[in-house]
Amino acid sequence: GAVVSQHPSRVICKSGTSVKIECRSLDFQATTMFWYRQFPKQSLMLMATSNEGSKATYEQGVEKDKFLINHASLTLSTLTVTSAHPEDSSFYICSARDWTGPIYEQYFGPGTRLTVT
Amino acid sequence: TQLLEQSPQFLSIQEGENLTVYCNSSSVFSSLQWYRQEPGEGPVLLVTVVTGGEVKKLKRLTFQFGDARKDSSLHITAAQPGDTGLYLCAGAPLGGAQKLVFGQGTRLTINP
């Protein structure tokens, strides 16, 4: 299957600072990428959908000014958590949609554990 | 709003037993995917089913897509501790909508 990488895998930051998370599709071009947040022992919560070269579409309740998404190339999307607070601590996972096959397939990165102190 | 109801949400069984996880909806999906996620990692795609009635096997795992493409099941035979994890089903809506609809997940624990 296709490979999606995510960096960093873990990050600890102080309250009020910003953190950038990178998501890369390594062996395919991803015109569409997704950012999810996962709370302990729960399923995935979609935060936003990003399309290469255009603005991200945010889910209801997700602050677009706080969670900045940039999808500047076909293989890279970034999520920046601005002015982070302890309640932003979570597991963030990106995903990329592979359009090359005849069916819809979505592949996930390994996730980033963000801890805000 | 399309929903996928996944059951059971928690399942703890002994090694060697069989189990089935269900994923149900009132909506039709163009395809359905099953993922397994281990703690601290991202979900890994196990299988995609597309055709109504389709059955796919992956070693001891059997996936079935309902005839009407509204439901799916995952059956594990002779479960092993390595099968422990969070299993997620996700449906691709008709009409080419971009985002997958996820079930709540089934947290499976296989006890040695």
Side-chain angles (χ1 to χ4, degrees):
Chain A
V3 180
V4 176
S5 72
Q6 205 170 324
H7 179 79
S9 58
R10 290 179 177 273
V11 57
I12 301 172
C13 70
K14 291 187 183 298
S15 187
T17 61
S18 296
V19 173
K20 180 185 284 188
I21 302 170
E22 292 187 350
C23 178
R24 295 181 185 273
S25 57
L26 298 185
D27 51 2
F28 66 102
Q29 292 184 331
T31 54
T32 304
M33 287 186 170
F34 305 88
W35 287 94
Y36 294 83
R37 185 172 179 176
Q38 188 175 36
F39 294 100
K41 301 184 186 295
Q42 293 188 23
S43 187
L44 305 173
M45 183 189 78
L46 179 65
M47 298 174 65
T49 302
S50 75
N51 291 294
E52 185 263 338
S54 63
K55 290 184 178 181
T57 302
Y58 290 82
E59 295 299 299
Q60 191 172 7
V62 177
E63 298 176 61
K64 62 181 180 180
D65 294 330
K66 180 168 188 61
F67 298 100
L68 300 179
I69 292 172
N70 184 276
H71 192 165
S73 79
L74 287 173
T75 59
L76 173 64
S77 176
T78 59
L79 167 67
T80 301
V81 183
T82 63
S83 188
H85 287 104
E87 57 264 32
D88 298 326
S89 297
S90 193
F91 193 52
Y92 293 88
I93 313 174
C94 72
S95 178
R97 182 173 179 180
D98 183 359
W99 286 93
T100 56
I103 57 176
Y104 185 122
E105 295 210 314
Q106 191 168 317
Y107 297 91
F108 287 84
T112 296
R113 172 74 57 193
L114 170 63
T115 303
V116 184
T117 61
Chain B
T1 303
Q2 293 180 289
L3 295 173
L4 270 171
E5 296 289 334
Q6 199 170 332
S7 62
Q9 291 191 37
F10 299 93
L11 184 58
S12 180
I13 62 172
Q14 293 300 119
E15 182 177 0
E17 294 183 358
N18 302 331
L19 67 108
T20 302
V21 177
Y22 299 93
C23 192
N24 296 305
S25 177
S26 59
S27 304
V28 178
F29 292 97
S30 62
S31 66
L32 196 137
Q33 302 178 358
W34 285 92
Y35 296 86
R36 183 172 76 202
Q37 183 181 23
E38 301 195 22
E41 300 180 11
V44 174
L45 180 62
L46 296 175
V47 77
T48 300
V49 286
V50 180
T51 306
E54 182 177 6
V55 177
K56 283 192 173 179
K57 291 194 174 187
L58 188 65
K59 296 184 181 178
R60 294 175 293 99
L61 278 60
T62 302
F63 304 86
Q64 185 163 7
F65 203 12
D67 292 341
R69 291 186 291 148
K70 293 182 179 181
D71 54 85
S72 181
S73 63
L74 157 61
H75 182 78
I76 301 179
T77 304
Q80 298 178 0
D83 296 327
T84 293
L86 176 68
Y87 288 81
L88 295 162
C89 64
L94 292 176
Q98 290 189 325
K99 53 188 181 182
L100 291 177
V101 175
F102 277 87
Q104 307 99 312
T106 295
R107 190 161 296 278
L108 175 64
T109 302
I110 309 300
N111 303 298

